[in-house]
Amino acid sequence: GTISMSRNQICGRGEVGDSVMPCGVGAWATGGRGAVAVAAAGPSPVLVCGDLSRSAIASQVVSDSAKALGGIDVLINNAGVMMFEDLTRSHDLTDAEATIATNLLGPIRLTNALIDHLTTKPDAAIVNVSSIAGKEGNPMAAAYSASKAAVIALTKAIGKDVAGTGVLVNCVAPAAIETPILDGISQDPA
């Protein structure tokens, strides 16, 4: 099927050229480089904007997506925000809380909103995108690393919960990918 790397995505059937229902916020959702990549990915992509760090949004995103696509077969939880934090001194936790809300609660909310539907589909799948940071930990990014480690555990738990229903659940943990999340990171290996 047509899958691109962006924010949380909900995809139609697994055929080349199928529609993609990306959900995003910020510059990506308003025509940034991610929207360009999605537009090239399929014949009729439709963008649904919603901040999945907010609990009330997931059900609306799922409803709008199912209506636009005529059903949902695949959920790709690919949310990711990373804000740098210096843990060598006490600091405000607003950024850490926002990171957890997007990176962990977003996938939990979308999965919860879709699970009843997905368990009725013969070839349904959930793909959670974590990060190598979830396995190794990144300096200056404790909340990001912790949230992505939690996505790995979430994937294992959901997989066990839905075993026998036909829903496939997998997680990928890529290394750094050139996206805006890396803006501001020094390229100096020292």
Side-chain angles (χ1 to χ4, degrees), residues 57 107 148:
I57 301 298
K148 291 302 187 172

PDB file of all heavy atoms in Angstrom, residues 57 107 148:
ATOM      1  N   ILE A  57      -9.321  14.319  20.120  1.00  0.00           N
ATOM      2  CA  ILE A  57      -9.121  14.390  18.681  1.00  0.00           C
ATOM      3  C   ILE A  57      -9.129  13.011  18.005  1.00  0.00           C
ATOM      4  O   ILE A  57      -9.614  12.867  16.883  1.00  0.00           O
ATOM      5  CB  ILE A  57      -7.800  15.120  18.361  1.00  0.00           C
ATOM      6  CG1 ILE A  57      -7.814  16.541  18.933  1.00  0.00           C
ATOM      7  CG2 ILE A  57      -7.515  15.134  16.872  1.00  0.00           C
ATOM      8  CD1 ILE A  57      -8.895  17.435  18.373  1.00  0.00           C
ATOM      9  N   PRO A 107      -0.362   7.441  19.866  1.00  0.00           N
ATOM     10  CA  PRO A 107      -0.581   6.072  19.397  1.00  0.00           C
ATOM     11  C   PRO A 107      -1.572   5.274  20.254  1.00  0.00           C
ATOM     12  O   PRO A 107      -2.365   4.502  19.719  1.00  0.00           O
ATOM     13  CB  PRO A 107       0.819   5.446  19.464  1.00  0.00           C
ATOM     14  CG  PRO A 107       1.742   6.601  19.301  1.00  0.00           C
ATOM     15  CD  PRO A 107       1.063   7.749  20.003  1.00  0.00           C
ATOM     16  N   LYS A 148       9.705   6.668  23.274  1.00  0.00           N
ATOM     17  CA  LYS A 148       9.895   5.710  22.190  1.00  0.00           C
ATOM     18  C   LYS A 148      10.163   4.309  22.724  1.00  0.00           C
ATOM     19  O   LYS A 148       9.781   3.315  22.101  1.00  0.00           O
ATOM     20  CB  LYS A 148      11.003   6.182  21.240  1.00  0.00           C
ATOM     21  CG  LYS A 148      10.597   7.429  20.441  1.00  0.00           C
ATOM     22  CD  LYS A 148       9.336   7.180  19.614  1.00  0.00           C
ATOM     23  CE  LYS A 148       8.995   8.320  18.682  1.00  0.00           C
ATOM     24  NZ  LYS A 148       7.900   8.010  17.764  1.00  0.00           N
TER      25      LYS A 148
END
